[in-house]
Amino acid sequence: MMRLDKFLKVSRLIKRRTLAKEVADQGRITINGVQAKASTNVAVGDEMAIRFGQKLLTIEVQQLKEAVKKDDAATLYKVKKEEPVQ
């Protein structure tokens, strides 16, 4: 298990943990269809939807690591779909 804000930072989906917390607090992230907070635990296999401005990114958590090199960050998740927000 890993906190949502930390996973987003380690996976480089969001650059800073404070920014990840803000995005979560604004209700722009869901995990398995449930609105998530920054402190929500993320597990392997979880489906996460993140709203970035006019884009909705849906990913599946593949693995959890405390730290990864920049080039390996994308191995922590798999993009399922990317769509514009209506």
Side-chain angles (χ1 to χ4, degrees):
M1 294 284 218
M2 181 184 282
R3 282 176 55 109
L4 173 62
D5 53 357
K6 183 164 185 179
F7 175 79
L8 292 171
K9 177 187 171 293
V10 171
S11 66
R12 311 276 200 301
L13 283 164
I14 295 180
K15 297 278 185 272
R16 292 184 314 279
R17 196 162 170 178
T18 49
L19 185 60
K21 183 181 181 323
E22 281 174 29
V23 171
D25 290 347
Q26 290 167 1
R28 289 165 42 191
I29 302 174
T30 60
I31 296 176
N32 300 326
V34 180
Q35 194 167 322
K37 294 187 183 133
S39 60
T40 303
N41 281 323
V42 177
V44 173
D46 281 351
E47 186 172 285
M48 190 184 304
I50 310 165
R51 203 176 80 231
F52 293 104
Q54 297 305 307
K55 187 175 76 172
L56 183 68
L57 181 68
T58 306
I59 64 158
E60 183 181 323
V61 179
Q62 300 280 292
Q63 53 184 325
L64 299 174
K65 289 187 178 173
E66 289 296 311
V68 291
K69 292 191 179 81
K70 189 175 181 184
D71 297 341
D72 298 336
T75 64
L76 297 181
Y77 60 92
K78 182 172 97 187
V79 176
K80 296 188 94 172
K81 62 184 178 204
E82 204 171 317
E83 55 199 347
V85 175
Q86 268 39 12

